[in-house]
Amino acid sequence: MIVCRTRVELFPRIAEWKRAGVQIGFVPTMGALHDGHLSLVRVAREHARQVVVSIFVNPTQFGPNEDFSRYPRAPERDLELLERERVELVWMPDASEMYGHDEQITVDPGPVAKVFEGVVRPEHFRGVLTVVAKLLHQVQPDVAVFGQKDAQQLFLVRRMVADLAFPLRIVEAPTARESDGLARSSRNVYLKQVEREQADALWRALSAGKGLIMRGERSLAAVERSMRDVLASVPGCDLQYATVVSETGFSACDPLAPSGRLIIAVKLGSVRLIDNEKYEVER
Ligand code: AMP
């Protein structure tokens, strides 16, 4: 497995693969890898001969009061896991390699970056899309794999790739979950034991809402209420949003569209958790 920390190391490798015409699959991550990340690597492998994983904790997507400095980092363990997955190349730049000292141009993430996650994290998606654009230019993949786990991010990456004509395909990979339904996340290590036990409430709420829709409910308010009721029974759970959005515009619609996504964000103690689940009903 090749590990590149500078563009000088990375670019000749990518150029060689491009010249040879081999398909490159790419999985961008912030490290502290778990089974969810590794499932993305396996999806990338289905689409490409060479798999590149990036590990970069991107400072520009964290707000001033967020967890950038204490975000979990485990580079050696990450490299071992990726070696076991037979990843061909790991791209691990540091912040000074990724950002010059006077960068002025960023990706404007548009109106969908202002709702849901964007309300709590106003500059988050500008940071995400800007670094994803840079990573895609550096790695030049044919296919890039993103998790459904971060549904709004996935929606915006798809929009950026379409609207700015990036020459690659975005593939979405299903959410890997713990046995009680909690979506795997690098941030789950922040949960205290009692919070960890309560955290299955997100999956229970999504399942309750989806169950209602699948039984024929089309009222947005009724589905929102069913999710809220589950979360309200959890002491200390601060609900930020629980609603249903369309796949086409990532906006709430009433009555519900035949397909869409239930989305939830809560704060359990000091830990913010997000999750979502797709639904599709027969028309
Ligand atoms: P992160 O390291 O959190 O930035 O995530 C890197 C990629 O892994 C993103 O595309 C995430 O959506 C995806 N991801 C994170 N958690 C999961 C999970 N539990 N299942 C599947 N993909 C995930």
Side-chain angles (χ1 to χ4, degrees), residues 198 231-237 268:
Q198 294 167 328
L231 297 164
S233 66
V234 178
C237 175
L268 260 185

Side-chain angles (χ1 to χ4, degrees), residues 212 217-229 242-244 253-256:
L212 260 192
E217 184 59 73
R218 291 292 168 270
S219 153
L220 174 65
V223 176
E224 286 181 344
R225 200 176 322 116
S226 75
M227 291 195 280
R228 272 203 312 269
D229 286 349
T243 190
V244 187
C253 53
D254 197 15
L256 300 177

Side-chain angles (χ1 to χ4, degrees), residues 62-91:
F62 288 78
N65 300 316
E66 290 182 2
D67 55 346
F68 174 66
S69 57
R70 67 179 191 119
Y71 191 83
R73 289 167 173 85
E76 270 149 42
R77 185 168 169 275
D78 290 348
L79 289 176
E80 264 172 44
L81 291 171
L82 295 176
E83 179 104 56
R84 259 186 255 158
E85 291 295 324
R86 303 190 183 288
V87 163
E88 275 74 22
L89 192 150
V90 183
W91 173 219

